[in-house]
Amino acid sequence: MIKKIFNSPKFNKILFDLNKSSFNKNSKFDNIHNGQSCYIFGNGESLKSIDFSSFNDRISIACNSLFFHNDFKELNCLYYQIPPALFFLPYFKYYNRLKYNPLSYAYKKKIHELTRTNFFTSIYNKPFVSGKNIFYEHHFGNHIPSINHCNLSHSFSFMISATDAMIGMAIYMGFKEAILVGVDYTFENSVSQHFFEKGKSVYKNESKYKKAFFNKVQQHINLKTITLDGIN
């Protein structure tokens, strides 16, 4: 019932009207990098084997926990996606108890340190995190990625995952090409580990991660993937 209300046209109109000034701020990024190339950084385990200093010749779009990587400062990272709604809640419910959310504090600390990076997150995080370098986005009920709803200043339908959000952002900003780095789900026999995890990698015998999605967006932006030696 609650989910139905949040996706209703009436609720979404109210949400937009209340936050119109915040969404309008995003319009300055529309086609700002027309015809350029960029890097899109995931959080995959392959980043353990990659020299970040080799990727500072272009603008980078990053996400989630990448700013905790020791070599993050080597990148020219101007844009960053943290799409989950209510991610910055100071507390969360766990077995009917409220528990402190340490990630909220750690992420906010990094965001306020990295003043040259523009951070994008769900409008539902607005009460919990704010700043000059923080921008808000919302899907307004359009949950399936669509070029018709690839507008950071209104309906941004690419919020189902950080990878989707970064690609949608690149399209909105006019990039003609994006090179995926550390997006290990796109590997044949994809790797499920992250760069910050210890232990042996887990390989999945699959090569069709979001195949339909990538086929659609390839019509609007040329995507390439950096892989490890011996991996397709």
Side-chain angles (χ1 to χ4, degrees), residues 23 26 81-83 120-124 135-140 152 154 156 159 165 169:
F23 292 123
N26 298 343
Q81 276 284 351
I82 309 173
F120 289 76
T121 190
S122 167
I123 190 64
Y124 290 136
F135 301 85
Y136 305 101
E137 59 197 4
H138 192 57
H139 49 70
F140 291 99
L152 282 168
H154 198 277
F156 188 62
M159 297 179 65
M169 170 184 280

Side-chain angles (χ1 to χ4, degrees), residues 119-225:
F119 290 87
F120 289 76
T121 190
S122 167
I123 190 64
Y124 290 136
N125 289 315
K126 187 177 179 180
F128 313 108
V129 61
S130 61
K132 292 182 179 180
N133 62 332
I134 299 175
F135 301 85
Y136 305 101
E137 59 197 4
H138 192 57
H139 49 70
F140 291 99
N142 299 294
H143 299 279
I144 299 175
S146 168
I147 296 300
N148 294 328
H149 298 284
C150 187
N151 188 344
L152 282 168
S153 62
H154 198 277
S155 176
F156 188 62
S157 62
F158 288 73
M159 297 179 65
I160 195 168
S161 74
T163 299
D164 291 24
M166 290 188 292
I167 291 173
M169 170 184 280
I171 293 172
Y172 179 76
M173 293 181 172
F175 286 103
K176 69 173 182 180
E177 178 185 64
I179 299 173
L180 308 182
V181 189
V183 187
D184 298 359
Y185 298 123
T186 60
F187 295 1
E188 187 171 359
N189 295 326
S190 60
V191 185
S192 64
Q193 293 278 73
H194 299 93
F195 74 87
F196 49 81
E197 292 181 288
K198 297 180 179 179
K200 192 175 180 179
S201 302
V202 177
Y203 289 86
K204 297 181 178 181
N205 187 24
E206 59 183 40
S207 60
K208 296 182 179 179
Y209 172 77
K210 294 200 170 187
K211 184 177 180 179
F213 168 73
F214 283 113
N215 285 339
K216 285 183 179 180
V217 296
Q218 281 277 85
Q219 300 172 32
H220 304 275
I221 186 170
N222 182 28
L223 298 176
K224 299 176 181 177
T225 297

Side-chain angles (χ1 to χ4, degrees), residues 88-105:
F88 290 95
L89 276 171
Y91 296 92
F92 63 92
K93 193 174 182 181
Y94 183 75
Y95 286 103
N96 295 322
R97 292 184 179 182
L98 286 178
K99 295 196 68 173
Y100 175 65
N101 181 5
L103 278 180
S104 174
Y105 173 78

Side-chain angles (χ1 to χ4, degrees), residues 58-120:
R58 306 178 191 183
I59 292 170
S60 287
I61 301 174
C63 69
N64 296 345
S65 297
L66 191 74
F67 47 30
F68 294 121
H69 194 289
N70 291 333
D71 297 327
F72 177 78
K73 60 184 180 296
E74 299 287 346
L75 302 179
N76 180 23
C77 184
L78 296 188
Y79 307 108
Y80 207 103
Q81 276 284 351
I82 309 173
L86 303 180
F87 178 87
F88 290 95
L89 276 171
Y91 296 92
F92 63 92
K93 193 174 182 181
Y94 183 75
Y95 286 103
N96 295 322
R97 292 184 179 182
L98 286 178
K99 295 196 68 173
Y100 175 65
N101 181 5
L103 278 180
S104 174
Y105 173 78
Y107 270 56
K108 283 193 283 189
K109 187 173 184 293
K110 278 291 186 181
I111 288 171
H112 293 132
E113 288 174 357
L114 300 168
T115 55
R116 69 182 296 270
T117 302
N118 300 291
F119 290 87
F120 289 76

